[in-house]
C-alpha cells in the first residue's frame, strides 16, 4: 500500500519542487494543498490529489489530513506561522499522521533571539513534545531570493542587507529533492536534523558569479541592515513582524552575533550522494531569469 504524503506550499517556491521530486517515488501517493480554490483542479491533474487547506482555519484540517502518513510542513512569511504550526501539529496528532518533515531555518545555535529564527525553534520544540516522528530541515539563505518574491534584484542592482558580510546559500532544487527523499524513505530519517548551506559568499562574490554566467553587468548593492524595512515598506506601514525578524537577522549577521549564517554546513551529499549545487551551477540553471532581471 502506498504512503500518502501531504505537501503544503505547492503553489510556492519550495513546495512545488518537493512535490515534483516526489513524483519519482512509486511508493508514494501525493496529496497537495492550497487555499486557491480555482487552482485545485489543475493541481489535482498535476499531482494526483489536491485538497483545500487554510492554515488560518483549523476546521479545514481534518478532511485534508484524512489517511495521511507524512506531511511536508511549510508555513509562509508571517508571524501567523506560530499559531498555524501549533494547530497543524495538534491536528496531525489527532489524525494519526506518522511523520512531519518541517521546513525551518539555518539555526545551529539554540541560543538565538532573532524573532523568526526563534519562532522556528519553538515550533520544532512543540513538534518534538507532540510525540509525532519528525525531521527538521534547516536551509540557509535561498538563492531563489534573487529570482523569487523577495525581489532582491531590481533596476540592474542586486541587494542584500548584511553590509558586506558573507552568508551561506542553498539552491531550493537541492532542498526539494532532499525533502522528497526523506518523505519517501520515512523512518530512517526520524528524529534527524539536516542542514543546507552549500556555499558561502558575499553579495559581491555572488554577483560576480551571476555576471560571469549571464554576461551582464549586474551591480552588487550592499546595503546596511537598517535599510531593509525602509526598502520593503517605504511608508513604514503593514510590515509583518516576520520581516522585522528578517531585519534583525541582517543586523546580527552584520555585528557578528549571527556570524554562523556565513558558514558551510551541507547535508546534500549525505542525503543525495552528490555535492550541493554551487552558486555558479544554480545561476546557469536560472540564466534566463537572471538575464531578464539584470537587464
Ligand atoms: N527565503 C529564505 O531565504 C528562507 C531561508 C530559510 C527558510 N525559509 C522559510 O521558507 C518558508 C517559505 O517557503 P517558500 O519560500 O517556498 O514560501 P512561498 O513561496 O512564499 O510559498 C508559501 C506557500 O505557503 C502556502 N500558504 C501560505 N499561507 C497559507 C495558509 N494560511 N494556509 C495554507 N497554505 C498557506 C501558499 O499556498 P496557497 O497560497 O496556495 O494557499 C504557498 O504555496 C518559510 O517558513 C521561511 O521561514 C526561507
Amino acid at each position: 500500500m502506498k504512503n500518502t504524503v501531504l505537501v503544503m506550499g505547492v503553489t510556492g517556491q519550495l513546495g512545488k519542487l518537493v512535490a515534483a521530486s516526489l513524483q519519482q517515488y512509486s511508493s508514494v501517493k501525493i496529496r497537495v494543498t492550497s487555499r486557491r480554490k480555482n487552482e485545485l483542479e489543475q493541481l489535482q491533474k498535476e499531482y494526483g490529489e489536491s485538497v483545500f487547506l487554510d492554515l488560518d482555519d483549523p476546521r479545514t484540517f481534518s478532511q485534508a489530513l484524512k489517511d495521511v502518513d507524512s506531511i511536508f510542513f511549510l508555513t509562509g512569511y508571517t508571524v501567523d506561522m506560530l499559531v498555524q504550526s501549533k494547530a497543524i501539529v495538534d491536528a496531525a496528532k489527532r489524525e494519526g499522521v506518522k511523520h512531519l518533515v518541517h521546513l525551518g531555518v539555518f539555526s545551529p545555535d539554540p541560543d538565538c533571539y532573532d524573532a523568526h529564527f526563534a519562532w522556528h525553534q519553538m515550533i520544532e520544540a512543540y513538534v518534538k513534545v507532540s510525540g509525532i516522528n519528525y525531521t527538521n530541515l534547516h536551509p540557509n539563505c535561498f538563492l531563489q531570493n534573487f529570482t523569487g518574491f523577495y525581489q532582491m534584484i531590481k533596476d540592474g542592482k542586486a541587494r542584500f542587507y548584511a553590509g558586506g558580510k558573507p552568508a551561506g546559500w542553498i539552491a531550493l532544487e537541492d532542498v526539494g529533492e532532499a525533502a522528497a527523499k526523506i518523505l519517501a524513505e520515512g523512518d530512517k530519517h526520524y528524529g534527524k536534523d539536516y542542514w543546507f548551506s552549500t556555499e558561502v559568499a558575499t553579495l559581491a562574490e555572488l554577483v560576480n558569479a551571476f555576471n560571469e554566467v549571464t554576461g551582464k553587468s549586474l551591480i552588487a548593492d550592499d546595503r546596511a541592515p537598517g535599510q531593509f524595512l525602509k526598502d520593503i515598506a517605504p511608508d513604514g506601514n503593514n510590515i509583518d513582524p516576520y520581516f522585522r525578524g528578517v531585519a534583525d537577522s541582517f543586523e546580527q549577521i552584520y555585528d557578528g552575533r549571527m556570524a554562523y549564517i556565513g558558514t558551510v554546513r551541507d547535508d546534500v551529499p549525505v542525503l543525495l550522494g552528490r555535492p550541493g549545487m554551487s552558486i555558479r551551477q544554480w545561476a546557469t540553471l536560472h540564466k534566463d531569469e537572471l538575464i531578464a532581471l539584470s537587464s
Side-chain angles (χ1 to χ4, degrees), residues 139-274:
N140 212 331
C141 304
F142 296 176
L143 280 164
Q144 268 82 349
N145 289 338
F146 288 98
T147 49
F149 93 103
Y150 256 105
Q151 296 196 318
M152 281 163 55
I153 300 180
K154 251 188 197 160
D155 309 324
K157 292 179 180 170
R159 294 172 174 179
F160 197 55
Y161 296 85
K165 294 287 170 73
W169 298 94
I170 183 74
L172 282 187
E173 288 80 2
D174 285 345
V175 186
E177 196 180 329
K181 187 156 197 266
I182 292 164
L183 288 157
E185 290 182 347
D187 55 4
K188 69 192 259 201
H189 302 287
Y190 288 177
K192 295 206 171 152
D193 288 72
Y194 293 110
W195 303 86
F196 300 92
S197 181
T198 298
E199 192 175 344
V200 167
T202 61
L203 180 65
E205 290 165 342
L206 259 165
V207 165
N208 271 345
F210 290 175
N211 286 341
E212 278 172 26
V213 169
T214 60
K216 294 282 177 185
S217 308
L218 193 64
I219 293 165
D221 185 8
D222 257 318
R223 300 199 156 200
Q227 192 59 37
F228 176 68
L229 291 179
K230 292 178 191 154
D231 282 355
I232 63 162
D235 58 5
N237 294 327
N238 299 322
I239 302 173
D240 190 283
Y242 185 101
F243 292 102
R244 296 193 187 280
V246 175
D248 203 18
S249 64
F250 284 129
E251 197 68 56
Q252 296 192 35
I253 295 167
Y254 183 65
D255 69 20
R257 283 174 289 168
M258 290 176 71
Y260 52 78
I261 292 299
T263 55
V264 169
R265 186 169 176 182
D266 192 5
D267 284 326
V268 173
V270 175
L271 286 160
L272 302 178
R274 61 161 177 83

Side-chain angles (χ1 to χ4, degrees), residues 7 10 14-24 30 32 47 72 176 180:
V7 181
V10 77
L14 179 57
K16 101 161 54 99
L17 295 168
V18 175
S21 281
L22 266 176
Q23 287 178 312
Q24 69 181 290
I30 304 170
V32 301
Y47 300 109
F72 178 66

Side-chain angles (χ1 to χ4, degrees), residues 67-120:
D67 301 324
V68 163
D69 296 293
S70 314
I71 301 180
F72 178 66
F73 169 21
L74 172 148
T75 49
Y77 297 93
T78 159
V79 61
D80 297 332
M81 64 187 269
L82 276 171
V83 67
Q84 291 172 345
S85 297
K86 180 185 182 296
I88 201 83
V89 172
D90 292 343
K93 191 165 181 176
R94 205 170 49 239
E95 300 295 331
V97 172
K98 297 189 201 84
H99 189 195
L100 291 175
V101 177
H102 174 249
L103 179 75
V105 287
F106 193 75
S107 52
D109 185 356
D111 185 6
C112 168
Y113 44 95
D114 142 29
H116 73 308
F117 271 47
W119 299 337
H120 272 300

